[in-house]
Amino acid sequence: MKRLANRTCLVTGAAEGIGLATAKRLAEEGSKVLITDIDPKKGSVAAEQLIGQGLHVRFFEHDVADRAAWERAINAARDFGGCLNVLVNNAGIAISGNIENCSLEDWQRTLKVNLDGVFHGMQLGISAMKDAGGCIINLASIEGFLGEPMAASYNASKGAVRILSKSAAVHCAKAGYGIRINCVYPGFVDTPLVAHALANVPPEQALAMQTKVISRTPLGRMAHPSEIANVITFLASDQASYITGSDLMVDGGWTAG
Ligand code: NAD
């Protein structure tokens, strides 16, 4: 029996990167997966790719910063699978800038997507799941634990996702909803997000950044998106039935020493 048979999942920001790898793993475990993303072109291509592999997925255009779009996305998941069992709040952006040069616009945009997006998703997701139970997994980052000078707004957004997840997890547990909420903290993962960050700096700086990441990571490499997806799939499954409000580091040992 597959671990997520008869479940319906919604994964945000799933047109590429960690979200796409997660949608694939959740679907391989037998669930129906609604892939949502702000980019309809990439999202549709991703969904077609997975459907071509025999997986039960559907694409839905969705900006996580938009509350009304969230309501439509949750309805679309219920239309697709009959209910909503698993929500993965994956969509996120990273805009470079330190505390002195981060513009107010970049700060607000980052928080709108990375934090407000998770707030809307959890609030509406809990409302959709609280009668039958379910599971929410939020993508934070090691940068929600450790300060990085050039990631002021990103640091703030991911640190807030961490503690908001704990607050919601304890609330749901005490209310007896049968909803588990956990946070996953990737280290550096080989995705378009990292590729864009490297492409936006001069080549010698990009090389220095890559060298620093690899030498600073005890396992000596970046993660593959599937390595994050595997952990999310475990948290979504009944094998993680006693885990809620937890911090799961998937960082190759970065924060261990
Ligand atoms: P990515 O940039 O490769 O993919 C992100 C996806 O989100 C894209 O398809 C993009 O179109 C979509 N998206 C962007 N804004 C959106 C919005 N407003 N609404 C809906 N979709 C939107 O990113 P990734 O590297 O796969 O990262 C996924 C998550 O993991 C993010 O929350 C990120 O902060 C987190 N994370 C990534 C890394 C890493 O090294 N890649 C490390 C730690 C945490």
Side-chain angles (χ1 to χ4, degrees), residues 12-19 36-39 42 62-65 89-93 109 113-114 139-142 154 158 185-194 196:
T12 68
E16 60 188 1
I18 295 168
T36 80
D37 202 282
I38 198 169
D39 185 330
K42 276 191 301 185
H62 171 211
D63 175 354
V64 295
N89 281 309
N90 167 77
I93 57 170
R109 179 68 193 151
V113 175
N114 293 6
L139 269 289
S141 167
I142 55 170
Y154 188 75
K158 295 299 186 179
Y185 300 77
F188 286 84
V189 190
D190 191 6
T191 69
L193 181 138
V194 169
H196 292 153

Side-chain angles (χ1 to χ4, degrees), residues 14-16 20 23-24 27 33-37 39-60 80:
E16 60 188 1
L20 176 56
K24 182 170 189 281
V33 182
L34 190 76
I35 291 180
T36 80
D37 202 282
D39 185 330
K41 224 172 168 179
K42 276 191 301 185
S44 306
V45 170
E48 273 161 31
Q49 225 177 44
L50 298 185
I51 291 166
Q53 295 168 26
L55 300 172
H56 292 285
V57 307
R58 185 181 284 178
F59 174 69
F60 189 82
F80 184 38

Side-chain angles (χ1 to χ4, degrees), residues 1 12 19 26 65-66 71 84 90 99 153 159 168 171 236:
M1 176 84 161
T12 68
L26 294 172
D66 178 346
E71 283 166 4
L84 177 66
N90 167 77
I99 185 61
S153 61
H171 169 75

Side-chain angles (χ1 to χ4, degrees), residues 97-255:
N98 63 37
I99 185 61
E100 290 194 271
N101 64 19
C102 174
S103 69
L104 183 59
E105 195 189 355
D106 286 351
W107 168 263
Q108 289 175 335
R109 179 68 193 151
T110 305
L111 292 181
K112 218 167 167 2
V113 175
N114 293 6
L115 181 57
D116 292 5
V118 173
F119 169 77
H120 296 317
M122 285 207 290
Q123 202 165 64
L124 296 171
I126 289 166
S127 166
M129 290 175 185
K130 69 182 180 188
D131 291 335
C135 182
I136 299 177
I137 296 120
N138 296 327
L139 269 289
S141 167
I142 55 170
E143 301 212 359
F145 271 98
L146 304 170
E148 156 61 43
M150 285 309 289
S153 61
Y154 188 75
N155 280 157
S157 68
K158 295 299 186 179
V161 164
R162 170 176 183 266
I163 200 68
L164 177 62
S165 303
K166 289 183 189 295
S167 172
V170 174
H171 169 75
C172 288
K174 292 200 166 184
Y177 291 160
I179 300 174
R180 294 182 296 102
I181 302 179
N182 291 291
C183 250
V184 170
Y185 300 77
F188 286 84
V189 190
D190 191 6
T191 69
L193 181 138
V194 169
H196 292 153
L198 293 173
N200 282 336
V201 296
E204 60 284 3
Q205 203 180 325
L207 185 64
M209 281 163 69
Q210 275 173 302
T211 309
K212 182 182 154 200
V213 164
I214 288 166
S215 63
R216 174 74 179 75
T217 307
L219 285 183
R221 62 175 176 84
M222 289 212 279
H224 186 272
S226 65
E227 295 177 297
I228 315 303
N230 285 334
V231 174
I232 294 170
T233 304
F234 161 69
L235 285 172
S237 77
D238 291 342
Q239 290 174 326
S241 54
Y242 201 58
I243 305 181
T244 198
S246 78
D247 298 325
L248 238 159
M249 314 307 293
V250 196
D251 64 354
W254 183 292
T255 51

